[in-house]
């Protein structure tokens, strides 16, 4: 029994030994992959807008023959401008497939992001890098070259309404909204949008623009806005016409695209502002805004028209403002508008150089008509001086006349005034040149309340009759309105100054003669007096009496002084003293209703 057991143990051990010494076969060998070969479906492409969503380029490549399933293979497509060695590459990663496709918009976006111009062919280099999914064993393909021409990829424009109307009373109400899709989809830079418009059929030959901004795809317009586009496109007030609109899109690199065109029929109306002012370096007030009033405020002639007569300087320019002190809206034109006039433009349609003044400096009458959407600029013949002669005056018919007693004072660019004693039953004339009978002005009535100004042979042989009552009269001759007035003069015979800016303070009566003016003319007064800065003062026609007063809202030191106000028109803060304390000469003129402080 023992021998049998030992035999079995020996056989078992021998079998185990022989099994443990058997040789194992070699491991399997996996060979390396190969670089792929890239082939484009085309080498020259000129895509159009219609190709935006279509496949226009297919890139195919051979298999790298990696020892793995195709799902574990990765391909990186690289695209860059030819000659840059893929320094600014655009990439796309593909798994499993041996091809990829590009639409017209895919390729166009790449080119636009590189900053290339629309319509100019561009060469692109393309290659494929293959690898395992874990990026091991990378191979770079051959470089293929494709020439592509970038195209315009515009917005799609739509309009809320195809027909609109409005009135001046409802001009601020909503009228229409334009909406559009983004232009150049996929473009990484800023795209700026504006709405262009012109009358239908003109192919935007004289297109005007409404700025919208960037990343904005809608624009709401009021009745006035839509009306302005129609008027600016040449549709007369009170008529209906069709206006074409399109969206202009511009990339940061300058690529431009225009949308489809939409038409809107507009019934125009007259957009008449409540007021109108003139501003500009061609005017006395320059570009200061607010402008001085009333000198640079228009007079409303009727429901549609405004008029102003003002001195304009050649080589300069100006604008019209509906609100004094506000630059939000403006009117103007592209011509000097002399006589034949010009088309009235609004807001952004006004040239950046503004409205040019006439070629010759002078006094002009400007008429702005919001019904005809025009303006005219007509020169006014205004003499440089004016004198009065006649037996109704102290100088009689002697010519030359005595000066300064019978010489008018210039009130503004077109008006002259004088205060003089006139004798009833006599007559007089106005002369532009003292001592010369060549030209004359006058009227057929005594002028009380107004009269038409006549010139030369139109003046009656009996000359201009004096008022029926002898007395002191103020005569104002206006060459812009071609009229003259003769009214009894009610100005003061004396004048005094009171206020804490003076040595006498607000005590009334004031000390005399130190605070009493000297009369230098029939309606002119002057005083030289110390004034304290930060204080104020008034002028009194009667010393010791507060019933009437004169003053102004400025310190009067600016060129041309300040407008003289009376009684309740004088500010409650009174007339401010100059910014610096010192001796000042104050002149008050009741003809021009002005005062100066020098």
């Amino acid at each position: 029994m023992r021998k049998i057991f030992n035999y079995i143990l020996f056989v078992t051990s021998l079998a185990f030994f022989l099994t443990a010494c058997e040789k194992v076969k070699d491991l399997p060998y996996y060979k390396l992959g190969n670089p792929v070969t890239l082939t484009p479906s085309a080498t020259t492409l000129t895509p159009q807008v219609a190709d935006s969503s279509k496949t226009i380029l297919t890139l195919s490549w051979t298999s790298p023959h990696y020892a793995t399933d195709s799902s574990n293979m990765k391909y990186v497509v690289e695209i860059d401008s030819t000659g840059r060695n893929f320094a600014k590459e655009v990439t796309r990663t593909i798994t499993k497939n041996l091809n990829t496709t590009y639409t017209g918009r895919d390729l166009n976006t790449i080119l636009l992001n590189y900053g290339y111009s629309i319509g100019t062919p561009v060469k692109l280099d393309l290659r494929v890098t293959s690898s395992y999914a874990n990026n091991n064993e990378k191979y770079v393909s051959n470089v293929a070259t494709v020439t592509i021409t970038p195209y315009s990829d515009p917005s799609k424009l739509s309009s809320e309404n195809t027909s609109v109307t409005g009135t001046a009373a409802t001009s601020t109400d909503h009228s229409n909204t334009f909406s559009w899709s983004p232009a150049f989809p996929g473009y990484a830079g800023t795209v700026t949008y504006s709405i262009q418009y012109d009358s239908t059929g003109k192919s935007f030959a004289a297109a005007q623009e409404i700025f919208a901004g960037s990343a904005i795809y809608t624009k709401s317009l009021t009745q006035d806005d839509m009306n302005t586009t129609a008027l600016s496109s040449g549709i007369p007030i009170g008529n209906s016409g069709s206006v074409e609109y399109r969206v202009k899109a511009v990339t940061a690199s300058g690529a431009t695209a225009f949308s489809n065109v939409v038409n809107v029929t507009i019934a125009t109306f007259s957009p008449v502002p409540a007021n109108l002012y003139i501003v500009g370096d061609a005017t006395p007030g320059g570009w200061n805004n607010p402008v001085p009033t009333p000198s640079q405020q228009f007079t409303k002639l009727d429901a549609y028209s405004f008029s102003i007569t003002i001195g304009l300087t050649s080589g300069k320019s100006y604008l019209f403002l509906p609100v004094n002190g506000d630059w939000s809206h403006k009117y103007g034109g592209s011509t000097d508008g002399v006589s034949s006039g010009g088309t009235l433009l609004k807001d952004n349609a006004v040239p950046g150089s503004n409205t040019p003044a006439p070629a010759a400096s002078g006094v002009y009458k400007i008429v702005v008509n919001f019904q005809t959407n025009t303006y005219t600029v007509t020169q006014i013949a205004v003499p440089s001086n004016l004198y009065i002669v006649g037996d109704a005056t102290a100088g009689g018919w002697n010519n030359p006349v005595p000066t300064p007693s019978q010489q008018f004072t210039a009130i503004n660019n077109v008006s002259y005034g004088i205060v003089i004693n006139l004798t009833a039953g006599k007559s007089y004339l106005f002369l532009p040149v003292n001592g010369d009978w060549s030209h004359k002005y006058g009227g057929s009535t005594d002028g009380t309340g107004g009269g038409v100004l006549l010139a030369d042979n139109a003046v009656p042989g009996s000359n201009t009759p004096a008022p029926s009552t002898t007395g002191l009269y103020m005569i104002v001759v206006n060459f812009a309105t071609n009229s003259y007035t003769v009214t009894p003069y009610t100005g003061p015979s004396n004048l005094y100054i009171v206020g804490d800016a003076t040595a006498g303070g607000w005590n009334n009566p004031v000390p005399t003669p130190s605070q009493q003016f000297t009369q230098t003319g029939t309606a002119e007064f002057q005083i030289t007096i110390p004034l304290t800065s930060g204080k104020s003062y008034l002028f009194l026609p009667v010393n010791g009496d507060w019933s009437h007063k004169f003053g102004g809202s400025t310190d009067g030191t600016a060129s041309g002084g300040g407008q003289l106000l009376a009684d309740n028109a004088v500010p409650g803060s009174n007339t401010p003293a100059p910014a610096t304390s010192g001796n000042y000469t104050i002149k008050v003129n009741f003809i021009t209703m002005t005062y100066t402080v020098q």
Side-chain angles (χ1 to χ4, degrees), residues 88-108:
K88 296 183 179 180
E89 61 182 6
V90 175
T91 64
R92 176 187 288 183
T93 300
I94 309 297
T95 58
K96 188 177 181 179
N97 293 331
L98 297 177
N99 60 69
T100 188
T101 61
Y102 290 85
T103 65
R105 181 165 290 154
D106 292 335
L107 296 172
N108 201 55

Side-chain angles (χ1 to χ4, degrees), residues 29-264:
Y29 172 72
Y30 298 96
K31 68 175 183 177
L32 298 176
N34 302 310
V36 304
T37 299
L38 173 65
T39 303
S41 61
T43 57
T44 302
L45 294 167
T46 308
Q48 305 297 320
V49 176
D51 300 318
S52 294
S53 57
K54 295 179 182 178
T55 296
I56 64 170
L57 179 66
T58 299
L59 299 181
S60 304
W61 52 89
T62 58
S63 172
H65 298 294
Y66 290 128
T68 184
D69 185 78
S70 60
S71 62
N72 294 321
M73 300 180 192
K74 183 172 72 173
Y75 309 96
V76 177
V77 178
E78 300 172 87
I79 301 177
D80 200 354
S81 301
T82 297
R84 288 206 296 224
N85 197 27
F86 298 94
K88 296 183 179 180
E89 61 182 6
V90 175
T91 64
R92 176 187 288 183
T93 300
I94 309 297
T95 58
K96 188 177 181 179
N97 293 331
L98 297 177
N99 60 69
T100 188
T101 61
Y102 290 85
T103 65
R105 181 165 290 154
D106 292 335
L107 296 172
N108 201 55
T109 299
I110 292 172
L111 296 173
L112 292 175
N113 283 332
Y114 279 145
Y116 290 116
S117 300
I118 291 172
T120 302
V122 179
K123 287 186 175 182
L124 292 180
D125 284 345
L126 305 94
R127 70 183 183 187
V128 175
T129 299
S130 60
S131 70
Y132 283 100
N134 61 2
N135 295 322
N136 286 339
E137 202 171 334
K138 290 185 177 180
Y139 294 106
V140 180
S141 75
N142 61 300
V143 175
T145 300
V146 177
T147 300
I148 307 175
T149 302
Y151 65 90
S152 173
D153 197 356
S155 302
K156 177 67 176 177
L157 175 65
S158 62
S159 175
E160 175 190 5
N161 298 306
T162 58
S163 179
V164 299
T165 187
T167 66
T170 59
S171 61
T172 58
D173 292 352
H174 173 74
S175 176
N176 194 37
T177 296
F178 292 103
S179 302
W180 57 93
S181 61
F184 306 109
Y187 175 69
T190 301
V191 179
T192 303
Y193 298 93
S194 59
I195 298 175
Q196 290 193 326
Y197 61 90
D198 201 354
S199 55
T200 298
K202 290 186 178 179
S203 301
F204 296 92
Q208 300 181 67
E209 293 188 0
I210 301 172
F211 181 74
S214 58
I216 294 175
Y217 310 109
T218 183
K219 185 71 174 178
S220 177
L221 300 181
T222 64
Q223 291 180 11
D224 184 56
D225 294 331
M226 292 296 291
N227 190 59
T228 297
T229 66
L231 295 176
S232 300
S233 298
I235 301 173
I237 290 175
N239 289 264
S240 290
S242 180
V243 178
E244 291 181 335
Y245 301 86
R246 68 183 182 185
V247 168
K248 176 183 177 183
V250 182
T251 68
S253 57
T256 303
F258 298 98
S259 75
N260 59 299
V261 175
V262 298
N263 290 272
V264 179

Side-chain angles (χ1 to χ4, degrees), residues 339 357 515 548 551 581:
S339 299
Q515 292 187 208
H548 298 289
S581 298

Side-chain angles (χ1 to χ4, degrees), residues 7 20 127 241 259 284 334 372 401 418 451 569:
Y7 176 75
R127 70 183 183 187
S259 75
S334 58
T372 61
V401 302
I418 192 172

